[in-house]
Every structure is written in C-alpha cells, then in structure tokens.
Amino acid sequence: MIDQRDRQNRDVGRSERSHARKEAIRVKDIAFYTALMFVILATLIWLIAYVDEKSNAALEASIVDKEMHILSAEAKLFSTSFDEAVSDLLYLKTLILKDSNAQMTGQMLSDDIMSQNFADFLSTHSHYDQVRFIGSDGMERVRVVNTMSGVEIVSETGLQDKRAREYFIKTRELIDGAVHISALDLNVENDDIEIPYNPVVRFSTPIYNGEEAEGILVINYKLNDLLMLYKQFSEGTDSELYLLDSDGYYLVSPDPSQTWGNSIADHSAITFGRVDPLAWVAMLEHDAGQVHTEAGGYIFQALLQEAVASESTVLHTVPLIAYDPGRLMMVSFISKTSETGYLFSDDSMALLIRVIQRYKWFLIMAVVVMMGFFPFLLSRRFTRAKIKRFSEIDSLTGVYNRRKGFDMLEAILSDYDEQLSICFIDVNGLKVVNDTLGHEAGDKLLQTSAELLKQKIRNEDVLCRFGGDEFVIGFVGTTPQEAEVIWKRILEGVQRFNQTEETAFIISLSHGVSGISELSQVNLEALIHLADERMYREKAVIKRNLQVIRRDTPDYMI
C-alpha cells in the first residue's frame, strides 16, 4: 500500500507539473488577447476622438464665426451711436452761434436761449443725460438735464466748476470744429460718483467767438441703454460678453462687482489682464481673433477710433476727433464649463474623457463583443496548441516524439559552428518487465526512465523517444567527453532512484555517445548510427548480469 501511495504521489506531481505548463500557456495567451483587446479599444477610442475632433473643429469654427458676427454687430452699434452723438453735438453747436439777425454783431445766443434750445433738444433725445455750455474759465453757464420727471434746466446756483475735469482741459485746447470724445466712465457730480451709477461718454467741442475761445459745448451720452443692449446679444447662447477699455478695466461683465474699476477706487485692482493674462496679451497684439486658455475660449474684436464717428467725419468734415477711450475691446467668452466649452479646451485628457463619456455605450458594446469573441479565439488557439502538442509529444512518456526531435536536431546541425553530441539510450529489460509484471509495469518503466532523463539534461538539450525502449538525447554545444560527464549524472540519478524507490522493477540504461567532431561529414543519421553501435556494445556487457525485477517485492508491486 505504501508503494501504491508513493506511485500515486509521483503521478500527481507529474500531473501538476504538466498542468502548470499548460496553465502557463493559458495565462500567456489570455495576457496576449487581453492586451490585443486593449489595443483595439484604444485604437477605436483614438479613431472616435479623431473624427470627433474634426467635427469639433467645424463646430468651433461655426461658433467663432457666429460670435464674430455678433461682435461686428456690436461694433456697428457703438459706431452708429457715437456717430449720432457727434452729429448731434455739431448740430447743437450751430444753434448756440449767432442767430440770423445777429450774424454781423459777433454775439452768441444768450444763456437763456441756449437753455431753451438744449431743453427742446433733450425732450426728443432721451438717450442723452445732459447738455452743457461751459465757459472758458471752466464754470458751467448752462446745464440742462434729463431726469426721471422730464427735462430740467439747472438754476445758476446748481452750476458747477469743471475747470479741473480732463474733458474740459482737452477740449479747450482743440482747434475750432474739432470734437473730443471722453473715456467711458461713471458720471461725477460735485466731485462724487453719481448714485445710482450713471455711465456716460462725453462729446465736446470748443466754441469760438471770432478768434477767442468762448467755452465748450458738452453733451453726455447715457450708456446704460447701449450697454444693456450690448449684454442682450449674449442671451440664449453659451457665451458671456465683456467690454474692456484700453487699460483692461471691465465696462461690461456678468459680474457687476468687476465693473468700472477706472472710476471706483475699490475696483481699481480688478482688470482683465490680472484675471487672464494670457488672453489679455493676445488681445493687445491683435485687433481681432480668438485665444484658448485654461478658463475657456475668448473671441475678441477691437473697437478702434477709426470705426467711431467715421461717418460724422465725412458728413461734417470734422478735421479732428480726439478719442480718449483708446481701443475698446469687445470680448465673447465661452467658459470651459459651458455646454460647448469643451470645444475651446486644450486639455487633451479632458477631451479624451469627454469622448469616452459621450460614446460610452458604444464602447461598452464593443468591449462586450470583444469579450464574447476572444474566448472563441482562445478556444481555437488552445485547440491548435493541443493538436500541435499531440503531433510533437510522445503520448506515453511526455518527451518529444521522433519526428519532432529529429527536426530540432537537424536545425541544430544546420549551424556548423555548433557543437553537438548524440546519446543513444536503450532501456534494458523492458521485455522481461512486460512478460513478468505486465505491460502496465512496462509503460511505467519507460515513463520513469524518461522522467529521470529529463531531470538531468539541460534546458537547451533535446530529448526524444526514438521508438520502443529507445531514446535519443542531443547534447547541444558539448563534445562527446562533456556528454559523458552529463551521462554520469544521469546514472547517479538512476542509481538513487533504484535505492530509494520501492518499485517492482529496477531501471537499467545502456548508452552510446557520438559527436560531430568524429565525422568528416555532418550527418544526423550517421551520428545516431555511431551512437547506436556504441550503445549495443555496452548493452552486451550489461546483459550478462542484468536483473530488472525485484524478487523481494511482495506481489511485484509497481
């Protein structure tokens, strides 16, 4: 019973080693097909991303074109409004100069008549905040204001000193007929910002009586309606509109706390250049275009002095427009968090994640299909590997069969620089074991002999079953003398097995060795024939005292 258990344990060990080899092949194949699946999936995602990118580029171009049209319309709105204001200013100038009856007197209209003319004008032009005539000393002589209750002529006590205001200083220095356009800022009354905020732009021109400057004419254009209309252009879109002055201060912004830093001291540190320096640099370098930053995409167009009051210059032959606002910048901003913001993002990883999220169901279906298809490929591969193994491996001993072994040895011999020794082996006493213990014991003898040979040869050596009870070993890179050293190790293993293993048979092997250095012509058949002859000479000696059956083994257990 002990012998039977030992044999079972050895069989289990061999089975586990065989299973491990098969399992290694299986893991390798699974790893290969898994990697292939990821490559296919990655390629699929790349193709989708490529097509999506082309589609996104067309969509982005369409959006940019649309926003540019909006900005152009806004620029036209400002240009038209400013042009109208210049025209109205020049019209009022004609009213305050000499009337037809006083053409030769050199006298201007009286302040009272000017006040009435200004009031009549404001009553039909509600988009102006006030009209003033300021004397050459800087004191207001006439001021008419549009209020919530109607047009109001300010009394003499309500007139203010404007000699320190920038628009007064610059306008007084202009030649006759020139027009000054002030910066866009908040209206100031009595040195305080008017509450609620009243954004205005002042159009002014000097008034000469002969060669002497009599004062300046000023109209304040109310910007609230114009800026409100400007904001409405972005309604129903993903964009946010900004209007920036030449210093980057916000005149229009979705966040009111950012605006009018050019007038409100508490907002003076808030500029577009500090919020997004990269975009601001691009806007300073170009009059129109687009730029992508981490925040999103900016489409911008400058409102230049040449575009403002150009028609007035032609219609009224204005020799000079002194334009303080500099270059107003109209900006359409599309945040990266908006619905179309991904189009203006340069974050490749974010775009890839979006593609995966957008096409996730398609990709999941692709993975499911591949996972269903790859087991079929694995099954076919395993079947082919199994068929190949059966065609190359001896089914009884698990070593290479004769055909496969000879093919491998022939391949080695094709390299004439490679040393090769052939060892021809015969398992002694197989017929006796078959006749005495049965063919099952004979099969066990061959299997055990093959296992002992496999244990002692090297990885590069080739072991095959020649046929019946004969095996051939190709010792690669060895001379016959070196092959004999390896053979001694094999015999030591056989001897140890015979001493320690309680089998009903004793293993006995005969061998013969030949090497390519012994032949004038390299030929595998000749090598095997020479080794076979030497094996038979040794076998003849061994057979004289050969005993392969353990007579003391009860019932000849194997």
Side-chain angles (χ1 to χ4, degrees), residues 315-536:
L315 293 174
H316 303 280
T317 61
V318 179
L320 177 65
I321 296 286
Y323 187 70
D324 271 4
R327 189 174 75 155
L328 296 176
M329 186 63 69
M330 297 175 297
V331 181
S332 177
F333 171 61
I334 301 177
S335 171
K336 68 177 183 180
T337 59
S338 67
E339 185 176 349
T340 58
Y342 67 91
L343 297 170
F344 300 88
S345 174
D346 292 330
D347 188 343
S348 300
M349 183 56 66
L351 290 174
L352 179 61
I353 292 173
R354 180 191 167 277
V355 167
I356 293 174
Q357 290 176 340
R358 183 177 179 183
Y359 297 97
K360 62 181 178 181
W361 293 115
F362 174 77
L363 295 173
I364 289 173
M365 288 182 62
V367 170
V368 170
V369 170
M370 285 188 289
M371 291 183 67
F373 186 63
F374 282 167
F376 170 72
L377 294 179
L378 282 170
S379 175
R380 290 195 60 187
R381 183 174 176 85
F382 293 152
T383 300
R384 288 196 301 268
K386 189 175 181 181
I387 293 172
K388 186 173 184 293
R389 179 175 177 82
F390 284 153
S391 68
E392 296 176 348
I393 302 299
D394 178 63
S395 59
L396 177 64
T397 61
V399 301
Y400 289 121
N401 58 29
R402 178 172 176 169
R403 182 181 60 81
K404 177 61 178 178
F406 277 31
D407 286 345
M408 295 177 70
L409 292 173
E410 288 284 5
I412 294 169
L413 277 176
S414 65
D415 184 359
Y416 289 97
D417 296 330
E418 188 75 61
Q419 281 285 354
L420 177 67
S421 294
I422 294 294
C423 180
F424 199 98
I425 302 162
D426 184 89
V427 179
N428 299 320
L430 176 61
K431 185 176 185 307
V432 175
V433 172
N434 283 335
D435 294 343
T436 306
L437 302 177
H439 286 280
E440 184 178 353
D443 290 346
K444 187 67 67 177
L445 173 61
L446 292 175
Q447 291 170 345
T448 306
S449 299
E451 187 65 31
L452 289 172
L453 293 173
K454 281 194 294 185
Q455 290 175 2
K456 296 302 180 181
I457 65 175
R458 303 162 304 171
N459 290 335
E460 62 268 28
D461 295 333
V462 178
L463 169 63
C464 67
R465 186 181 179 188
F466 188 78
D469 56 359
E470 296 170 334
F471 294 87
V472 170
I473 300 177
F475 291 113
V476 181
T478 64
T479 63
Q481 293 76 20
E482 293 168 336
E484 291 291 356
V485 173
I486 300 173
W487 179 253
K488 286 181 180 180
R489 292 204 300 268
I490 294 173
L491 288 182
E492 289 173 359
V494 171
Q495 185 179 6
R496 191 178 304 110
F497 175 86
N498 289 335
Q499 290 174 351
T500 59
E501 301 292 335
E502 297 181 359
T503 56
F505 53 76
I506 295 172
I507 296 177
S508 173
L509 303 177
S510 299
H511 88 294
V513 174
S514 63
I516 59 175
S517 59
E518 299 180 89
L519 299 175
S520 58
Q521 291 185 343
V522 178
N523 183 283
L524 180 60
E525 185 177 346
L527 278 173
I528 292 175
H529 181 71
L530 179 57
D532 186 23
E533 286 182 348
R534 291 171 178 174
M535 181 276 294
Y536 270 107

Side-chain angles (χ1 to χ4, degrees), residues 130 132 134 137-140 143 160-169 187-191:
Q130 53 186 268
R132 292 171 290 163
I134 303 174
D137 60 354
M139 283 298 300
E140 292 178 337
R143 177 149 65 105
Q160 302 174 32
D161 184 355
K162 300 294 183 179
R163 74 183 69 181
R165 299 302 300 273
E166 186 175 5
Y167 64 85
F168 172 76
I169 296 171
N187 190 46
V188 175
E189 297 294 348
N190 297 312
D191 297 326

